[in-house]
Amino acid sequence: QRHHHTMSESNVKESFVKWLESKGAKISEKIDAFSDFTFGDLDDEIKGPLKKQIKYKGVRALKSLDKGDELVRLSKNSFISPPSLSVSSDLTKESAEESESVDHYLNNYKPTLSNFVGTTLKLLHLMCEEKEFKEYIQTFPTTFNNALYFNQEERDALKGTSLEPNLDPSLLVKQFESNILPVIQANPQLFKIPSEKSSDNFYLESFQRAAAVVMTRGFHDVNGDGPFLLPIVDMFNHSNEFKSIQIKREGEEFVVEASTYVMKDGDHKQKKGNTINLNRKMSVVNQNLDSGKLAG
């Protein structure tokens, strides 16, 4: 049984923003990072039930944005990095606390874990811990529109395609039991099941959710390092062609800047709003079509 949110959307948003600010993150007053939109808002050519049927969240320009305007700045401790990029590079200076950390454990696990699996297991640890990044994790959906969550009807529709061999739900179970569960069982102190969430399938379901989060929200920098989980930044459209914004690393921080002029909401003659989309002129920017409290 999946754990569902008990907090209201407004409470989740308020606690999330306060948490971000406490971490030193900065969000420009020129944008609304939690704006409601529909497919009809994105494109006037969309017809039928999709036009207004489903509401999503995205970023909207409240004021005109000039090229180079800083929209979001994430400080070092306000985002999640892969374990391989989080541990001390100088082992002689590594503290006892670091040597017992989830980053150290996952980075030194043999056989070596990929950055994707390492980041997913780190997120699973944070989901179990329910302390650090709790306010961010509360914004995640409980289900996703990707292959990890396809139902039988959706799998049947893809029969005969190149995707079919990867859609068997038993594959996830087999991979989890052979490759993931041993990592958890070798250090159970890092993966304690919260008492109110205990169930026979807690680890499998939580890993499935964590993997879907990393798949849909993981960012890589210009050097290919990643995946990073970047709060607020994942409200922007996950396109490889960033037309309206630029995401870059400055030292140990991530920064989002406007890469072109963007008119404020309502100024565009042909559109109702100006979403900071990476492919269109509007400013809505989250294409993770999921059911999260803030991002879906």
Side-chain angles (χ1 to χ4, degrees), residues 131-144:
K131 292 179 183 177
E132 193 178 8
F133 290 96
K134 177 181 178 181
E135 292 80 1
Y136 178 40
I137 291 169
Q138 282 177 338
T139 70
F140 294 158
T142 53
T143 60
F144 293 78

Side-chain angles (χ1 to χ4, degrees), residues 186-199:
N187 199 335
Q189 291 298 311
L190 290 174
F191 302 96
K192 291 182 178 179
I193 301 177
S195 57
E196 75 278 10
K197 297 180 184 177
S198 60
S199 74

Side-chain angles (χ1 to χ4, degrees), residues 1-6 130 141-142 196-197 202 205 209:
Q1 175 138 12
R2 292 195 185 96
H3 173 66
H4 292 280
H5 301 289
T6 55
E130 293 193 310
T142 53
E196 75 278 10
K197 297 180 184 177
F202 173 81
E205 291 181 354
R209 183 183 178 208

Side-chain angles (χ1 to χ4, degrees), residues 52-68:
K52 292 289 181 185
Q53 188 175 34
I54 307 172
K55 292 199 172 192
Y56 302 106
K57 295 284 185 186
V59 183
R60 191 180 297 271
L62 300 176
K63 298 180 180 179
S64 297
L65 307 178
D66 291 317
K67 183 177 180 179

Side-chain angles (χ1 to χ4, degrees), residues 212-268:
V213 168
V214 177
M215 283 173 64
T216 58
R217 294 157 186 258
F219 287 89
H220 291 76
D221 64 16
V222 292
N223 298 318
D225 291 334
F228 297 92
L229 295 178
L230 307 177
I232 288 289
V233 179
D234 56 18
M235 296 297 291
F236 291 86
N237 187 341
H238 287 36
S239 166
N240 290 325
E241 299 180 23
F242 294 107
K243 301 249 178 103
S244 298
I245 62 167
Q246 178 183 14
I247 302 174
K248 59 184 182 179
R249 288 179 75 180
E250 290 185 358
E252 296 183 323
E253 299 183 323
F254 273 93
V255 180
V256 179
E257 292 181 351
S259 58
T260 186
Y261 174 77
V262 178
M263 285 173 283
K264 74 175 182 180
D265 182 23
D267 277 2
H268 199 285

Side-chain angles (χ1 to χ4, degrees), residues 153-170:
E153 183 180 356
E154 290 167 323
R155 289 194 292 270
D156 289 344
L158 291 168
K159 280 187 176 178
T161 70
S162 59
L163 291 175
E164 183 182 3
N166 301 314
L167 296 178
D168 183 351
S170 66

Side-chain angles (χ1 to χ4, degrees), residues 2 20 27 58 76 80 84-85 90 97 110 123 153 166 179 194-195 202 204-205 245 253 290 292:
R2 292 195 185 96
L20 269 179
I27 307 169
K76 177 184 177 181
I80 299 172
S84 62
L85 301 176
D90 187 346
E97 184 179 348
K110 302 298 180 188
L123 179 56
E153 183 180 356
N166 301 314
N179 300 323
S195 57
F202 173 81
L204 174 61
E205 291 181 354
I245 62 167
E253 299 183 323
D290 52 37

